[in-house]
Amino acid sequence: MNEGEQLHLDKLFERLLKARKIFKNKEVLRHSYTPRDLPHRHEQIETLAQILVPVLRGETPSNIFVYGKTGTGKTVTVKFVTEELKKISKKYNIPVDVIYINCEIVDTHYRVLANIVNHFKHETGIEVPLVGWPTDEVYAKLKQVIDMKERFVIIVLDEIDKLVKKSGDEVLYSLTRINTELKRAKVSVIGISNDLKFKEYLDPRVLSSLSEEEVVFPPYDATQLRDILTQRAEEAFYPGVLDESVIPLCAALAAREHGDARKALDLLRVAGEIAEREGASKVTEKHVWKAQEKIEQDMMEEVIKTLPLQSKVLLYAIVLLDENGELPANTGEVYSVYRELCEHLDLEPLTQRRISDLINELDMLGIINAKVVSKGRYGRTKEIRLNVTPYKIRNVFRYDYTIQPLLTISFESGQRRLI
Ligand code: ADP
Ligand code: MG
């Protein structure tokens, strides 16, 4: 440890002690938190309420198809409205069940049906295992438990595009038509999709029954995001902790990315965390920029984690070259290190041509930078550089057993040999 670091540590406690507290309640900035008011979504709230109000008169509401890009407030708004409906229906003594299913997690026809049956298990004592039964039988059970008494059942299928892309639209077909087979209960479905082109995946009959009503969530602009952040910040931070420019900057950066409120909230939360860790007394623009970079890096780590093995080996070859001070390198240089790494892993190497394609892919993902440069009469070649620090990549690979065996290899400078 050098002297600078020592000094730093000596002052650690004093610094932390002196630091003003930044967060009053960080939970408020989490994705799962439902605020009491949803600025700029009053129109959607009103529309949803109008579609659902027949419940209070004992009539079946239409099915609803909700769509808009990520972070436009679809989930939070639907949860807010259905919660309100539950409260008011209790007052009027009308039995309403709301079943919320996130189809990114519950991603098959079978599991959606089983989840619905199991929602009522306290009342019915019936529980369907999460695998194993024939789907028809689960569906029959579902009708039986739902129809045990007069009631309204609102089934919210969030991220429905993920389910349909993976397992088809059968589940929507059955659920949007179930009322014709029920005697006492009445079901309506709210499908939520992030993908605007999702409709193209649906059978026209399914589409027409799901989208009896459609509610669109447009992206927020920077001003709207500012209002959303300001409302949250009042509860999340101590007064005076945020520099004036912090919220506008978070809002502007998130507006640039299709008006994503989740991104805006993440920026604000991470900026606060960075300021807190630095022992700063205020969150400033500088912290927001750092937050932006951290979020991007975290996303990058996710991307690296999910690369196919060949691309990971290729990336590791570039890491070794970087650590050895040999970047920028060209495709041939990268390829020769890659081949040696393949040998260590007993992996059949791809052709240089194919590797050249994978280099372009890594470039498109933003992990590396592969610039084509002209070398005069020697033709054109690629200059390959890393966009992520080797340290970060090693950290990701450390937990990846497929590539782990390579991590201990050291690279002998100058000779381009692995030892
Ligand atoms: P979507 O489901 O459209 O991807 P979410 O409903 O998950 O978006 O919203 C993303 C985040 O932004 C959540 O934390 C949510 O609470 C917040 N949010 C979105 N819209 C608003 C709003 N109008 N007011 C307050 N918070 C909002
Ligand atoms: Mg959502």
Side-chain angles (χ1 to χ4, degrees):
M1 189 183 291
N2 65 35
E3 231 168 273
E5 277 174 26
Q6 192 93 46
L7 261 175
H8 201 65
L9 284 177
D10 282 352
K11 294 260 159 70
L12 176 69
F13 282 108
E14 278 177 46
R15 201 183 71 226
L16 291 176
L17 187 67
K18 258 192 253 146
R20 240 168 84 194
K21 283 186 82 180
I22 301 272
F23 290 108
K24 190 163 67 182
N25 179 6
K26 197 156 67 175
E27 290 312 303
V28 172
L29 297 176
R30 299 239 171 252
H31 298 161
S32 49
Y33 179 82
T34 307
R36 267 170 289 128
D37 184 28
L38 299 168
H40 304 293
R41 282 303 176 237
H42 291 179
E43 193 187 315
Q44 284 75 12
I45 291 173
E46 173 111 18
T47 310
L48 286 167
Q50 269 169 10
I51 303 169
L52 293 173
V53 76
V55 167
L56 302 175
R57 302 191 202 105
E59 297 156 15
T60 319
S62 305
N63 296 319
I64 313 173
F65 181 39
V66 170
Y67 62 100
K69 292 193 172 159
T70 48
T72 51
K74 301 179 298 297
T75 301
V76 75
T77 304
V78 168
K79 280 190 171 169
F80 180 85
V81 174
T82 49
E83 278 304 311
E84 289 299 310
L85 177 70
K86 257 172 37 188
K87 276 189 227 157
I88 186 122
S89 60
K90 215 172 252 160
K91 204 169 111 189
Y92 284 88
N93 244 336
I94 297 169
V96 175
D97 275 276
V98 177
I99 308 177
Y100 174 86
I101 296 177
N102 183 342
C103 300
E104 195 177 8
I105 301 161
V106 181
D107 60 356
T108 63
H109 186 184
Y110 181 98
R111 295 187 59 208
V112 169
L113 299 181
N115 255 269
I116 299 171
V117 177
N118 294 347
H119 174 87
F120 296 100
K121 73 178 172 211
H122 297 296
E123 173 193 323
T124 61
I126 296 171
E127 193 171 355
V128 175
L130 288 180
V131 285
W133 286 20
T135 308
D136 287 353
E137 222 167 284
V138 186
Y139 186 59
K141 205 42 107 187
L142 183 149
K143 284 189 290 191
Q144 184 200 331
V145 298
I146 283 187
D147 217 17
M148 275 179 180
K149 61 181 192 190
E150 280 189 17
R151 62 168 141 222
F152 289 96
V153 179
I154 295 170
I155 302 173
V156 181
L157 299 174
D158 202 351
E159 315 264 344
I160 181 76
D161 44 318
K162 308 255 167 62
L163 172 85
V164 169
K165 272 179 214 158
K166 186 169 175 240
S167 324
D169 58 6
E170 226 181 317
V171 73
L172 279 171
Y173 188 82
S174 5
L175 290 179
T176 50
R177 257 145 242 270
I178 196 170
N179 285 328
T180 55
E181 303 178 51
L182 300 175
K183 291 198 186 69
R184 302 186 191 90
K186 296 190 168 82
V187 171
S188 61
V189 176
I190 304 180
I192 307 178
S193 168
N194 285 323
D195 181 354
L196 313 185
K197 284 194 300 220
F198 162 71
K199 286 183 180 180
E200 295 167 14
Y201 294 91
L202 293 179
D203 180 301
R205 287 171 304 173
V206 174
L207 179 61
S208 72
S209 43
L210 176 63
S211 57
E212 287 171 338
E213 298 281 353
E214 286 189 11
V215 183
V216 184
F217 281 62
Y220 295 115
D221 63 26
T223 322
Q224 294 172 328
L225 288 172
R226 255 189 233 197
D227 294 339
I228 292 171
L229 291 180
T230 305
Q231 177 222 42
R232 292 280 183 104
E234 274 168 22
E235 293 178 58
F237 293 95
Y238 283 109
V241 163
L242 293 185
D243 242 12
E244 247 173 44
S245 53
V246 165
I247 287 182
L249 180 58
C250 293
L253 289 173
R256 233 165 43 186
E257 273 173 51
H258 74 253
D260 184 341
R262 180 171 314 147
K263 173 78 195 281
L265 285 163
D266 283 346
L267 278 168
L268 189 59
R269 190 192 76 244
V270 177
E273 286 169 351
I274 293 172
E276 193 171 53
R277 215 165 303 144
E278 284 182 1
S281 56
K282 269 183 157 249
V283 186
T284 64
E285 244 177 66
K286 186 186 76 187
H287 297 121
V288 178
W289 288 115
K290 283 190 184 167
Q292 161 93 338
E293 195 177 319
K294 178 168 189 305
I295 291 169
E296 265 170 22
Q297 290 280 344
D298 289 351
M299 269 161 48
M300 196 61 88
E301 280 180 23
E302 249 342 276
V303 174
I304 294 171
K305 253 184 227 166
T306 52
L307 287 174
L309 181 59
Q310 290 283 3
S311 298
K312 281 180 182 159
V313 177
L314 166 64
L315 180 59
Y316 192 62
I318 302 171
V319 166
L320 286 175
L321 284 163
D322 189 44
E323 288 172 340
N324 227 34
E326 298 192 31
L327 291 187
N330 62 36
T331 309
E333 287 161 337
V334 170
Y335 187 67
S336 75
V337 179
Y338 156 82
R339 276 189 70 111
E340 288 188 59
L341 293 178
C342 284
E343 227 169 87
H344 276 268
L345 280 183
D346 262 338
L347 187 73
E348 187 69 31
L350 302 173
T351 61
Q352 181 158 340
R353 209 199 147 81
R354 186 70 194 105
I355 284 300
S356 179
D357 292 341
L358 293 187
I359 286 174
N360 290 340
E361 271 177 42
L362 291 180
D363 178 70
M364 265 180 335
L365 291 169
I367 303 170
I368 64 169
N369 200 327
K371 199 170 73 179
V372 180
V373 289
S374 166
K375 290 268 174 182
R377 61 199 177 93
Y378 300 108
R380 289 144 64 82
T381 174
K382 260 183 216 151
E383 276 189 354
I384 297 161
R385 290 182 173 79
L386 264 183
N387 266 350
V388 185
T389 61
Y391 168 79
K392 280 246 162 66
I393 298 172
R394 277 185 182 278
N395 254 347
V396 175
F397 286 168
R398 186 161 300 148
Y399 302 100
D400 183 333
Y401 70 95
T402 56
I403 191 127
Q404 245 171 14
L406 295 182
L407 298 190
T408 48
I409 291 173
S410 57
F411 192 73
E412 208 174 63
S413 171
Q415 296 182 359
R416 293 181 183 285
R417 278 199 50 210
L418 300 160
I419 53 168

